[in-house]
């Protein structure tokens, strides 16, 4: 994983304020300057910086456009944005306009260096506390996952919650070591983020922990996302095994009792819950059903996604006993 940076966007080509440079140096954060908004969005989308500091000195259009783009995008809204202004132009209010655009904190030339440093520190601390990004993948954690589902419930949109889980990951970890296991987790996070973003710009990807991920997508988009994620994952995962294991299609492992057995190569199971045929009033209802569907998906061999088609009247046990027509009518193997 690349080292974290403090990204500094200045459409005016000025260096960051001294207090920002000192703050970054104290925390070992390299400061990377950017003068083009497209470059900023590309960098933030590629690897989340520790923070984005934007030069909000008038004229403001470029700085505010970048701030809005970062905060309106589910994949990048977790990045704390700090705006600063070295002065104030006539008719402009950089602080208010920056906050309206979504900035998490605002600095200006009237504040003391001590207060600026405290505001910078608190902005990063709030981001870590409220978002709880996963240290390996830097994807949003459970707080943000619940928040995104709750927002979609409030808007009344039709959407799908897709719970992704690796099969035989523990055995891979035991054989190849946790460093290689973390690498697989990171690669899966990148597949999910890039594929889901490509097919569904308003979707959201989060990391529950370990090898468990969730993405929420509009109803019209989730099938293509699931199919493409599985396709890309299936192409790449074999490369993480030795040639011998890859050719064999499995490796010899031992269970907790020390007995040997054949361990298949890793596959991906995705359990999907939608509000197409039923209404939900709380995120916990969706979470429980998504967990059921993920467990049901893992009963199949190979990489697969299964969709809950129940209308709400069936027993919860139906997820594990329903026919393909009722519960897993959409799947990829």
């Amino acid at each position: 994983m690349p080292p974290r940076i403090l990204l500094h966007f200045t459409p005016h080509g000025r260096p960051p304020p001294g207090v920002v440079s000192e703050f970054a140096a104290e925390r070992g954060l390299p400061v990377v300057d950017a003068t083009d908004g497209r470059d900023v969005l590309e960098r933030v989308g590629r690897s989340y910086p520790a923070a984005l500091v934007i030069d909000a000195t008038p004229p403001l259009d470029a700085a505010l456009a970048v701030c809005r783009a970062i905060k309106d995008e589910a994949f990048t809204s977790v990045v704390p944005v700090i705006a600063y202004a070295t002065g104030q132009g006539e008719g402009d209010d950089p602080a208010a306009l920056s906050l309206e655009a979504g900035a998490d904190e605002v600095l200006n030339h009237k504040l003391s260096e001590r207060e600026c440093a405290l505001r910078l520190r608190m902005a990063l601390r709030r981001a870590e506390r409220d978002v709880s990004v996963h240290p390996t993948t830097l994807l949003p954690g459970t707080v943000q996952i619940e928040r995104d589902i709750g927002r979609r419930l409030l808007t009344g949109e039709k959407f799908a919650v897709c719970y992704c889980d690796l099969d035989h990951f523990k055995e891979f970890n035991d054989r190849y070591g946790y460093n290689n296991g973390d690498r697989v987790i990171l690669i899966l996070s990148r597949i999910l983020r890039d594929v889901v973003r490509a097919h569904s710009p308003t979707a959201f990807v989060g990391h529950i922990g370990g090898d468990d991920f969730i993405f929420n997508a509009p109803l019209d988009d989730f099938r293509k996302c699931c199919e493409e994620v599985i396709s890309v994952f299936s192409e790449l995962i074999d490369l993480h095994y030795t040639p011998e294991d890859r050719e064999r299609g499995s490796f010899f492992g031992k269970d907790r009792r020390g007995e040997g057995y054949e361990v298949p190569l890793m596959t991906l199971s995705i359990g999907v819950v939608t509000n197409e045929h039923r209404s939900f009033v709380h995120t916990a209802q969706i979470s429980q059903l998504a967990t059921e569907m993920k467990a049901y998906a893992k009963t199949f061999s190979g990489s697969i996604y299964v969709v809950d088609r129940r209308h709400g009247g069936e027993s919860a046990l139906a997820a594990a006993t329903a026919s393909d027509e009722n519960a897993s009518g959409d799947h990829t193997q």
Side-chain angles (χ1 to χ4, degrees):
M1 183 175 64
R4 304 203 73 182
I5 64 170
L6 190 148
L7 184 59
H8 173 239
F9 173 51
T10 171
H12 311 300
R14 288 188 285 262
V19 67
V20 172
S21 298
E22 292 173 10
F23 176 85
E26 289 174 0
R27 285 154 181 77
L29 296 171
V31 178
V32 176
D33 292 309
T35 58
D36 183 271
R38 290 170 298 183
D39 182 34
V40 172
L41 297 178
E42 182 180 334
R43 285 178 177 272
V44 172
R46 189 168 60 242
S47 66
Y48 299 118
L52 170 64
V53 177
I54 61 174
D55 183 350
T57 304
L60 295 166
D61 291 350
L64 297 181
V66 165
C67 186
R68 290 191 192 96
I70 295 293
K71 291 302 180 180
D72 288 345
E73 168 63 67
F75 295 95
T76 57
S77 62
V78 298
V79 176
V81 176
I82 298 103
Y84 72 89
T86 56
Q88 184 165 318
E90 184 178 351
D92 289 315
D93 184 351
L97 292 172
S98 298
L99 290 171
E100 288 176 354
D104 299 281
E105 185 57 88
V106 176
L107 312 178
N108 63 54
H109 64 291
K110 297 179 181 180
L111 301 175
S112 67
E113 289 191 2
R114 181 184 179 188
E115 184 171 352
C116 284
L118 286 170
R119 287 174 178 262
L120 284 165
R121 187 175 68 189
M122 292 307 297
L124 268 64
R125 184 176 295 175
R126 285 197 303 269
E128 293 173 356
R129 180 193 65 205
D130 296 341
V131 175
S132 303
V133 295
H134 192 278
T136 300
T137 64
L138 301 181
L139 287 175
T142 53
V143 172
Q144 287 292 93
I145 292 171
E146 293 291 304
R147 189 174 298 167
D148 183 78
I149 295 174
R151 180 187 62 78
R152 294 176 192 272
L153 287 176
L154 286 175
T155 62
E157 70 170 282
K158 296 298 183 183
F159 68 100
V161 173
C162 308
Y163 192 159
C164 311
D165 181 37
L166 289 172
D167 308 310
H168 313 297
F169 175 72
K170 181 184 180 303
E171 295 94 329
F172 176 90
N173 235 15
D174 291 343
R175 177 171 175 81
Y176 287 91
Y178 65 85
N179 278 329
N180 286 312
D182 279 354
R183 189 173 295 113
V184 169
I185 294 295
L186 182 59
I187 288 172
L188 177 57
S189 75
R190 292 294 185 258
I191 292 172
L192 286 167
R193 198 186 70 175
D194 293 346
V195 168
V196 173
R197 172 185 294 182
H199 292 293
S200 186
T202 63
F204 173 92
V205 177
H207 190 175
I208 298 173
D211 58 325
D212 289 354
F213 294 82
I214 274 185
F215 68 86
N216 310 322
L219 197 62
D220 292 339
D221 300 338
F222 84 87
R223 300 176 196 278
K224 183 62 177 176
C225 292
C226 288
E227 291 165 3
E228 188 71 9
V229 164
I230 287 175
S231 175
V232 175
F233 174 83
S234 298
E235 286 186 19
L236 297 180
I237 193 58
D238 287 3
L239 302 177
H240 296 276
Y241 290 87
T242 63
E244 295 78 14
D245 288 350
R246 195 159 59 236
E247 182 177 355
R248 181 184 178 91
S250 63
F251 61 85
F252 188 77
K254 291 185 178 180
D255 60 23
R256 294 178 179 177
R257 293 174 294 184
E259 297 180 0
Y261 69 107
E262 288 290 328
V263 180
L265 304 189
M266 276 184 287
T267 53
L268 182 64
S269 295
I270 306 177
V272 182
V273 174
T274 80
N275 60 349
E276 182 178 14
H277 302 299
R278 67 169 82 192
S279 297
F280 298 101
V281 296
H282 196 278
T283 58
Q285 296 172 288
I286 297 176
S287 175
Q288 179 181 351
L289 288 173
T291 301
E292 287 181 7
M293 293 310 298
K294 181 205 71 170
Y296 179 50
K298 292 175 78 69
T299 65
F300 291 84
S301 61
S303 293
I304 188 173
Y305 75 99
V306 296
V307 183
D308 184 4
R309 293 179 176 272
R310 291 172 292 172
H311 290 239
E314 299 91 337
S315 160
L317 187 61
T321 59
S323 68
D324 284 358
E325 182 181 3
N326 291 328
S328 64
D330 308 275
H331 63 272
T332 300
Q333 289 183 292

